[in-house]
């Protein structure tokens, strides 16, 4: 789960990581109140989970209430790369002497944590990595040992940060590492990490991605979930505990297993169509799950054809077949289903479906054949 | 021959008294796997359809000589269960548990690497491993697999592993071992471990490798294929059309920035000399050609007879 900047800063604060004094606002009035508390000059920042909001005009410095009113009004409701701004973060403007960069994430190749520190913050780290790779100091951290102070000091020194803040920077990294590990984050990134005019460090931005698998030991995450997705299909799927990712095509997809679902999305594209979604019903594809899956896909107005691709391992194809028939009784579908069932009990499943085949429910023996048929149907009804 | 598991593998199931553990443990035994013991703390002395249950893995190993563990416990208990198995001295741990926090995985992976280097972990979040006709640990449906080789399969995805086994069996092509390494960011066993083991296994004559978006394991596997492998590899990568920044089901399947794309993986594998299929069916067809080209009568005749 990606956090908004304001949520990331609040998360940082729990681990003692210094951030600017500020507050969140969903209206101009609230923004005025927060700015009154933190004091002018203030910065108004659009809260969207997408990069490049500064360039898009979503971050403004204001020197008084009139300016703030004008800018907050302009930014609220702004569309930044498809994300509509519903929330603002208002904080006291910082005096910036230097902009640095610091992050922790997992290096999957090394199977160790990776700390990156750079004296060149304020721009995308990918760009720095391309243009000036030597300005990024890297440190691998073995989770068994954790981040040691001497290693933190060393990486700060290698990154070429101002020598006057070396020990403060090492301390900052130790806190950020704790936030990353104990906070069960996949990524914590501070860009920029600023050196203020009076010689201190603090996080001017916060990018935090939490590991959904760790939610069971973080009941407090529940509150962060609000406004997680603006896609109504994804919100609907989440309510039904379905593993769903919305895409933009006309062929709705239901498959079991993440790999097979991904493979089905690819195949639809290879035969000339485009998938409306990725949906993995996992190992429990019974009638209730099929109903839930079909409800979500049926609610997607772009969908003109539905492809069900099941390979039975633990999932028994006969149960899936019964589930689909039951689902078709319970959900009034707008478009036809093409189904391919293979694996455990596939023969029984085909027998169950045989009497019900029609223009609304078509069976194909292979994955490729089913994809072709489903895409043809999507095209024909266009 | 086969890799990692065979007739000599004796299995203890951690979580045998739970719903999943019982279902799959008994299914594995019905396949012919030597399932000798179960472990559930506090339930020592009970049995599950004749399989004795112990309180600890150490007790189970002492009593039955188990040399492998099948971990089927919830995410919060899985890290402890995996380390307990390693401490009890089993040489193979297969963990099917889904949704283990990545921080836990990184920690126990490195603990195993440092403190128990002789224990191999397969998974977590994987379908398990099967050497057809010899041993099946995990959730793979054994009846779709065909014993006798000559193909070894390694895959990050469960259902795509089944799909691959099925496509090959349909064509009359048997498998030596099929390893599902799992879709998590820190798999205990990776493509490279499996490719090296298949290369060293005399009965495996060709390898099917099924990857997906995310990480750089496939690219590193391509380097090995180019430099250190004599056996032909057919590969398939899922997620060509996956949008960046979205996790496609598996915790590990995500394209971040320009990294982890299917395109980069496919290019690396093709450059390394692997045959890369665009879909699972095509991968099966390519493997038919590869097996024919082996020129071994035993294998080509079984294809021809279909």
């Amino acid at each position: 789960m990606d956090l908004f900047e304001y949520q990331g800063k609040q998360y940082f604060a729990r681990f003692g990581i210094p951030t600017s004094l500020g507050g969140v606002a969903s209206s101009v009035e609230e923004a005025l109140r927060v700015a009154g508390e933190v004091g002018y000059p203030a910065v108004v920042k659009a809260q969207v989970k997408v990069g490049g909001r500064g360039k898009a005009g979503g971050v403004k410095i204001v020197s008084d209430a009139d300016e703030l009113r004008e800018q907050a009004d302009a930014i609220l409701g702004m569309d930044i790369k498809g994300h509509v701004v519903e929330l603002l973060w208002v904080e006291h403007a910082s005096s910036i002497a230097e902009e640095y960069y610091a992050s922790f994430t997992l290096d999957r190749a090394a199977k160790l944590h990776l700390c990156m520190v750079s004296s060149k913050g304020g721009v995308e780290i990918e760009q720095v990595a391309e243009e000036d790779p030597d300005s990024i100091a890297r440190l691998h951290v073995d989770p068994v040992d954790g981040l040691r102070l001497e290693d933190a000091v060393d990486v700060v020194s290698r990154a070429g940060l101002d020598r006057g803040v070396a020990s403060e920077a090492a301390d900052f990294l130790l806190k950020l590492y704790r936030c990353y590990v104990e906070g069960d984050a996949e990524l914590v990134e501070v860009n920029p990490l600023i050196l203020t005019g009076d010689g201190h460090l603090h996080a001017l931005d916060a990018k935090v991605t939490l590991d959904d698998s760790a939610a069971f030991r973080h009941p407090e995450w529940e509150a962060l979930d609000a406004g997680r997705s603006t896609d109504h299909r994804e919100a609907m799927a989440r309510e039904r505990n379905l593993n769903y990712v919305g895409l933009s095509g006309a062929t709705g997809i239901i498959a079991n297993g993440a790999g097979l679902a991904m493979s089905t999305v690819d195949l639809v594209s290879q035969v000339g169509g485009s998938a409306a979604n990725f949906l993995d019903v996992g190992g429990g594809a019974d009638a209730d799950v099929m109903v839930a899956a079909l409800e979500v896909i049926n609610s997607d107005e772009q969908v003109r054809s539905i492809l069900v691709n099941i390979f039975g391992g633990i999932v028994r194809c006969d149960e899936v077949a019964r589930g689909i028939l039951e689902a078709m009784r319970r959900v009034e579908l707008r478009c036809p289903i093409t189904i391919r069932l293979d694996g455990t009990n596939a023969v029984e499943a085909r027998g169950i479906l045989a009497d019900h085949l029609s223009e609304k429910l078509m069976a194909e023996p292979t994955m490729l054949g089913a994809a072709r048929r489903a895409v043809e149907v999507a095209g024909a009804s266009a | 021959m086969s890799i990692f598991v065979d007739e000599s593998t004796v299995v203890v199931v951690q979580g045998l008294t739970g719903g999943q553990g019982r279902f799959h443990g008994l299914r594995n035994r019905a396949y012919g796997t030597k399932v000798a013991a179960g472990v559930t703390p506090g339930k020592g002395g009970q049995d599950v359809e004749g399989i004795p249950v112990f309180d600890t893995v150490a007790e189970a190993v002492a009593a039955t000589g188990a040399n492998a563990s099948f971990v089927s416990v919830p995410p919060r208990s899985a890290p402890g269960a995996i380390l307990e198995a390693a401490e009890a001295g089993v040489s193979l741990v297969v963990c099917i548990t889904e949704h283990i926090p990545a921080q836990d995985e990184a920690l126990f992976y490195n603990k195993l690497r440092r403190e128990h280097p002789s224990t191999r972990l397969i998974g977590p979040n994987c379908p398990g491993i099967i050497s057809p006709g010899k041993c099946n640990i995990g959730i793979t449906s054994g009846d779709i697999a065909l014993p006798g080789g000559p193909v070894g399969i390694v895959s990050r995805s469960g259902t795509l592993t089944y799909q691959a086994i099925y496509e090959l069996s349909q064509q009359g092509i048997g498998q030596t071992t099929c390893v599902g390494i799992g879709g998590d960011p820190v798999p205990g066993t990776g493509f490279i471990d499996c490719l090296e083991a298949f290369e060293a296994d005399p009965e495996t004559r060709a390898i099917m490798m099924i990857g997906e978006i995310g990480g750089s394991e496939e690219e590193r596997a391509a380097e090995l294929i180019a430099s250190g492998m004599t056996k032909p590899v057919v590969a398939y990568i899922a997620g060509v059309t996956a949008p960046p920044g979205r996790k496609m089901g598996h915790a590990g399947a995500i394209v971040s920035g320009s990294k982890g794309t299917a395109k980069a993986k496919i290019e690396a594998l093709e450059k390394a000399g692997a045959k890369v299929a665009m879909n699972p069916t095509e991968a099966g067809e390519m493997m038919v050609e590869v097996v024919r080209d082996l020129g071994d009568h035993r294998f080509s005749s079984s294809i021809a007879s279909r």
Side-chain angles (χ1 to χ4, degrees), chain A residues 143-279:
Chain A
V144 178
D145 302 318
L147 177 62
R148 291 179 293 219
L149 177 63
E150 61 265 36
D151 292 331
V153 169
D154 177 62
V155 74
V156 164
S157 143
R158 283 191 284 122
L161 268 52
D162 188 286
R163 297 175 86 100
V165 287
S167 73
E168 194 176 322
D171 181 60
F172 187 96
L173 287 184
L174 290 173
K175 285 173 176 159
L176 191 62
Y177 181 74
R178 257 195 68 211
C179 173
Y180 167 67
V181 174
E182 292 172 28
D184 272 308
E186 290 175 352
L187 168 74
V188 289
E189 185 180 66
V190 186
N191 189 19
L193 164 65
I194 59 161
L195 176 62
T196 58
D198 57 356
H200 291 290
L201 291 173
H202 84 242
L204 201 63
D205 199 355
K207 189 170 174 194
V208 176
T209 305
L210 299 177
D211 176 5
D212 292 335
S213 293
F216 69 83
R217 58 188 176 206
H218 295 279
E220 77 279 9
W221 286 4
E222 198 90 359
L224 301 171
D225 223 15
R228 180 168 168 183
S229 172
T230 48
D231 186 324
H232 84 274
R233 302 171 299 172
E234 291 184 359
M236 204 174 157
R238 202 162 46 249
E239 276 169 24
R240 289 161 175 75
N241 281 320
L242 293 170
N243 190 350
Y244 177 100
V245 176
L247 303 169
S248 57
T251 304
I253 284 169
I254 299 175
N256 67 321
L260 190 65
M262 235 186 293
S263 182
T264 311
V265 170
D266 289 348
L267 196 56
V268 161
S269 156
Q270 282 167 28
V271 299
S274 66
N277 64 277
F278 161 101
L279 201 173

Side-chain angles (χ1 to χ4, degrees), chain A residues 21 84 199 210 226 247-248 276-277 306 338 356 380:
Chain A
L21 191 60
V84 177
L210 299 177
L247 303 169
S248 57
N277 64 277
I306 300 169
T338 308
H356 301 269

